[in-house]
Each structure stands twice: as C-alpha cells, then as structure tokens.
Amino acid sequence: MSTTRTKSKSATTNGQRSQTYRNGGRSGGSAGTGAVLSGSDVLADVGLPDDPANLYTQTVSTMLHAAEVMNLPHYLQLILAQPKNEIMVHFPVRMDNGSFLLVKGYRVQHNNALGPFKGGLRFHPDVHLDDVKSLAFLMTMKCSLVGVPYGGGKGGIKIDPRKHTKTEMERIVRRFTAAIAHNIGPDYDIPAPDVGSNSQHMAWIADTYSFLSEIGGDNPSAVITGKPVEYGGSLGREKATGQGVVDTLIEMLPELKLRPERCTFSVLGYGNVGSWSGKIFQDKGAKMTAVADHTGFIINEKGIDAKDLAEYVSQKGGVAGYPKASKCSKEDFYRTKVDVFIPAALEQMIQEPEAEMLNCKVVAEGANAPTTPAGEHVLQARGIEVLPAILCNAGGVTVSYFEWVQNKSFQAWDLAKVDRELNKHMVQAAGRTREARKKYSCDLRTASYIAALERLKQAYEVRGIFP
Ligand code: NAD
C-alpha cells in the first residue's frame, strides 16, 4: 500500500550513507533538496556530507542555522556538530529453531555537558547509524530546552520486533544489554523506549544490567527508564509524550487564536505518542477526524473516538479496517481540513508534497524530525505554524527524568505530582521558546534551538574545555 516507507541509501564521500525516506511511492531522492543548508562551513570542518537529503545533515544544519542567528561561538558549533561517541556492536543470538542470527546494535552518545547521556532505543529493521546520530543529537537539544539535567544519546537494534517470538526478543534484548553494558550506567548513560521497544524490553535491560553490575549503594535499575510500574517505572511515563504534546498545544494555541475545545485534528502514527496525544487532546474537547499508520488511512468527519481506536489498534495491530471510520487515500488524509495535524510516526514523513497537501493551521510534532527542511519551507510559505519536536515531544524524557529521580531516591510519586511537574517543565520550555522568538524575530523551531543552545553555551562557558 502507498504508506510503505522505504529508505534509500547511497554512499557519500566520507563513507557515511545518505538516506531518503520515500512515502507513497514518490520517486527520486528529493527529501529536503528544496532548502538551502545552513552552516555548510561547519559541516565541511567536521567532515559531514553537504547532502540536503541526509537526515543527520538536515538535523545538524537546523541547529547551525539557529547558531548563526544567535551568534553561537564557532568552537561550540563544531563540538555539537558531531556526537562524542558512536558505538556499534554485533552479537549472535540463538533463534527458537536452533539457528543463529547475527544482530547489529547501536548506541550513540551525542553530548553530556549538562548531565548523563539520555535517550531511547529503537527496534526497527531500517535503523541506521545516521538515524541514531540524529535522534541522539535531538535529545541533547530537547533535554537542554526542557530543563532536565541530561545530555543526549540514542540507540537501536536493527531487527523487526514483530517478526520475533517473545523468547527470541528476550535473548536479543539481554544480549544487546550485555554488549553495551560497559558503555551505559545510571550516572553515565540512561536509555529508554522508542519506536518498536516497550516497557517489557526495558525490564529485561534493567534486570540484565543489575545482574552484570556490582551491587553498590546505587539502584542499578536506574540505568534505564520507561520500565513497568511494577519494577521501578513511574506512573504517567507511558502517556508522558502525548501528555507533553497536549500541554504544549494548550500553551501555544491561544496565541494562534485557537481554542482546544473547538479544534479538529488528525494524527499520523497511532502508536504510543499518536494514541496518547489523541486520547488526551480529545479529553480537552478536541475532535479527531483522520488517522493514518503503517496499515492505512481512515477518516470520519463526524469524529473518531480516540480511546476506541486505541483499543482496536492494540488488538488488530493497526488502524486498517476500523469499522467506525472510512478508508481513504493518502491524499485525502493529508487534505483533510483540520486545525491541528500531529505527526507521530517516523522521521522525514512531511516532505514537500505532504506539506503542500496539508490543510491545517498548526503542525504539532509528536515524532522526532518528522518535517524535512524543504517540507518546513513549504509550511512556512503557506502560513502553517510548526510546534517543533524538541519542545512538543519533550514530555517523554521529562517523565523519564522523574522516574530516574524516583529510582535514585527510592521514592514513588503519585500521578498528580508527575502530571503537575511535567506541566511545569513544558510551560517553562514553551516560555523560553517564545522569548527567543521575540528576541530574535525568528520561527519557533529556530527559537527552540536557540533556547536550548543558550543553556549549553552557559554550561560550556563555566566548565571550559579540558585540559
Ligand atoms: P510506536 O512504535 O509506538 O508507534 C509508531 C507509529 O508509527 C505506529 O503507529 C506505526 O504504525 C506508525 N508508522 C510506522 N511507519 C509508518 C508509515 N510508513 N506510515 C505511517 N505510519 C507509520 O512509536 P512511538 O513511541 O509512538 O514513537 C513515534 C515517534 O515519536 C518517533 O519519532 C519517536 O522517536 C518519537 N518519540 C517517542 C517518544 C516516546 O516516549 N515513545 C518520545 C519522544 C519522541
């Protein structure tokens, strides 16, 4: 079907791979090519491909644009343009039928100037070093913006979790943990869930790490967040990213003359982030009218019940065939008139054609890097406001931080406290973004990066560079 997401990869001069996600069967690697890259001198200095279709180049270039606007010192632009550590591991795992699979895993540690590396683990057959680097970089920016004492990291395992039994997944996850155990730790690098990974996987990681580590005064299960509540997880973590998306919308919509209770919205991707954003936004009175995921596109102008659909997806694996809405085309999905569009699937899905089709007033980025620079260019020209991912989806890492604090201090917070503290962080991050936009007269994405870079700059100024 037309939603199939393929990733084309072509070698670039320095051996990195460029990648272009192509949605809906569109041919040609045009992702991002309509936009001029910022900071090409820095990209060249650190040996990155000057390739507008490369996800990592796109991501860093967006930061370099903000760096230029705020006049960030050149040495900091260089430091932030490449991750501190890139770890790649290969390990054999026995399958249920007795055969062996050689599995590839990643952990990229982008920056730890503000605190331990922090970021999720993606389990997906297309996971690639450039994706992981981009996502690690975004975590550095996000943690800085939302005011949690972490740096940025990200990891992944190149597998399709849907194709493995529970026992195979347990062996894959535990063996991956053993392979990276010396590179993570409760005070050094704290992974979490991302696309394709869940709280059960986090529990296996925490258990494996605890088993391998020396038991000292610390709580070794603080090595990972997003654990089940029964084993050190925090109340409110599962819904946290969606809650943060809605907290951001509530904070930002009034200045766009929109009232949440009167909004209509559509959602791309109905997994953790998409379904929780839908359910919580619906609870505020908003009406969901179109949804898409890897199985199809559905529409109902009278409204799709977000909770009922989430129940259906948890049983059937996707939105296709949902009986209380009609199947529609990709074009109809994007052209559906709504106030708010929430991309909550994968990266680079809003390219120029999707941006041309969108019929909304606001894009609230639940996913990481869902909009390419070229797609954003189109959205800006069409007067569509983008609430950037490092602000909008920072709720997940914020509640992960609360989980870590609870683990390290042997506490258990109630849900009201989690929600209250989360809202405080989201409102402050939105405020910092607005202030930067006012000061530099720029778009919200640039403003969010400036606010994040400001905090990193202050930390580097007082820390200095060793030796
Ligand atoms: P998930 O695995 O729970 O859901 C992913 C969704 O994307 C699924 O509904 C899937 O059907 C859909 N999808 C995949 N390929 C698609 C395609 N080609 N077309 C349409 N839909 C497609 O993952 P998640 O945790 O909800 O993460 C979604 C996004 O949010 C990712 O970018 C992730 O990095 C980001 N994010 C997640 C968290 C978190 O706490 N889970 C936090 C911050 C950011």
Side-chain angles (χ1 to χ4, degrees):
M1 64 168 297
S2 61
T3 45
T4 305
R5 172 180 177 267
T6 57
K7 192 190 283 190
S8 77
K9 293 179 177 167
S10 57
T12 55
T13 45
N14 68 349
Q16 300 211 35
R17 316 281 292 179
S18 82
Q19 58 190 28
T20 306
Y21 297 141
R22 294 198 295 257
N23 306 317
R26 186 157 31 80
S27 62
S30 65
T33 48
V36 179
L37 289 175
S38 294
S40 34
D41 55 332
V42 176
L43 296 176
D45 282 354
V46 298
L48 283 169
D50 197 358
D51 173 3
N54 178 280
L55 178 62
Y56 189 68
T57 303
Q58 285 180 2
T59 314
V60 171
S61 177
T62 309
M63 178 275 289
L64 292 174
H65 170 65
E68 278 167 19
V69 173
M70 69 182 287
N71 208 12
L72 189 75
H74 187 256
Y75 80 96
L76 281 178
Q77 298 187 34
L78 287 179
I79 291 173
L80 294 170
Q82 285 285 28
K84 209 164 169 183
N85 305 313
E86 297 173 27
I87 300 149
M88 215 186 284
V89 292
H90 297 92
F91 49 92
V93 181
R94 196 182 327 101
M95 299 289 102
D96 290 345
N97 66 5
S99 67
F100 281 90
L101 184 70
L102 190 72
V103 182
K104 185 192 276 285
Y106 302 94
R107 186 69 189 167
V108 171
Q109 295 162 334
H110 178 262
N111 188 280
N112 61 351
L114 296 175
F117 301 107
K118 183 89 188 86
L121 294 173
R122 180 168 294 193
F123 298 173
H124 195 283
D126 288 346
V127 163
H128 186 269
L129 183 60
D130 276 346
D131 307 343
V132 185
K133 282 175 65 176
S134 304
L135 295 163
F137 167 85
L138 289 171
M139 287 306 296
T140 299
M141 295 294 133
K142 198 182 299 182
C143 293
S144 178
L145 176 64
V146 84
V148 293
Y150 288 140
K154 204 83 180 188
I157 311 182
K158 196 174 176 60
I159 40 135
D160 186 346
R162 293 191 187 108
K163 292 199 173 139
H164 291 283
T165 61
K166 191 173 177 189
T167 49
E168 286 176 354
M169 279 309 297
E170 179 169 357
R171 288 196 291 274
I172 292 169
V173 168
R174 287 187 185 276
R175 186 64 202 250
F176 172 69
T177 310
I180 62 162
H182 293 292
N183 294 293
I184 57 175
D187 297 320
Y188 181 66
D189 184 357
I190 306 129
D194 189 67
V195 175
S197 58
N198 58 37
S199 58
Q200 173 62 77
H201 303 140
M202 303 304 113
W204 289 330
I205 293 172
D207 182 64
T208 308
Y209 183 84
S210 303
F211 182 76
L212 294 174
S213 63
E214 299 264 325
I215 308 292
D218 282 331
N219 177 357
S221 70
V223 69
I224 197 145
T225 58
K227 298 182 290 292
V229 175
E230 299 78 12
Y231 178 31
S234 177
L235 292 172
R237 173 60 185 90
E238 202 201 321
K239 67 166 181 146
T241 308
Q243 181 75 55
V245 169
V246 178
D247 284 1
T248 308
L249 281 166
I250 303 286
E251 195 57 23
M252 303 300 275
L253 286 180
E255 65 182 65
L256 301 166
K257 310 267 180 291
L258 289 170
R259 289 169 57 180
E261 67 277 14
R262 295 217 182 139
C263 277
T264 52
F265 67 102
S266 58
V267 184
L268 172 65
Y270 212 68
N272 175 293
V273 179
S275 64
W276 279 109
S277 299
K279 287 188 278 191
I280 299 168
F281 203 24
Q282 177 175 285
D283 283 346
K284 301 288 174 195
K287 184 166 80 174
M288 184 166 82
T289 55
V291 183
D293 72 1
H294 72 288
T295 65
F297 303 89
I298 58 168
I299 187 168
N300 186 344
E301 305 259 329
K302 291 193 181 132
I304 298 169
D305 183 73
K307 288 175 192 163
D308 193 55
L309 180 64
E311 192 59 37
Y312 177 86
V313 169
S314 71
Q315 284 166 18
K316 307 280 181 184
V319 302
Y322 181 63
K324 297 173 197 165
S326 313
K327 181 180 168 187
C328 67
S329 67
K330 174 182 172 176
E331 285 69 25
D332 287 343
F333 170 75
Y334 280 103
R335 290 189 202 283
T336 301
K337 186 170 185 210
V338 285
D339 296 302
V340 177
F341 169 65
I342 305 175
L346 300 171
E347 298 80 34
Q348 294 184 312
M349 298 196 76
I350 314 305
Q351 302 184 14
E352 287 148 295
E354 292 77 20
E356 292 286 2
M357 285 190 280
L358 274 175
N359 191 358
C360 64
K361 295 174 183 148
V362 182
V363 173
E365 293 186 335
N368 284 308
T371 314
T372 64
E376 181 148 19
H377 201 62
V378 173
L379 294 177
Q380 280 171 356
R382 296 184 58 220
I384 297 174
E385 186 73 270
V386 179
L387 305 182
I390 64 164
L391 168 64
C392 218
N393 73 24
V397 72
T398 305
V399 177
S400 271
Y401 165 58
F402 300 158
E403 177 177 334
W404 182 73
V405 168
Q406 291 170 72
N407 291 164
K408 288 188 83 70
S409 55
F410 297 95
Q411 290 181 47
W413 297 4
D414 61 30
L415 185 58
K417 177 167 175 166
V418 171
D419 283 347
R420 199 169 55 244
E421 292 296 317
L422 170 61
N423 185 258
K424 211 187 288 175
H425 280 266
M426 298 307 298
V427 169
Q428 281 170 359
R432 280 200 285 270
T433 303
R434 272 198 299 256
E435 273 168 34
R437 177 177 60 179
K438 196 168 161 203
K439 184 170 173 190
Y440 293 98
S441 305
C442 57
D443 60 276
L444 276 178
R445 190 184 308 280
T446 307
S448 66
Y449 276 84
I450 290 175
L453 291 169
E454 200 58 61
R455 190 165 161 235
L456 281 154
K457 175 171 165 261
Q458 287 162 6
Y460 270 100
E461 278 171 1
V462 289
R463 286 184 65 150
I465 301 288
F466 175 82

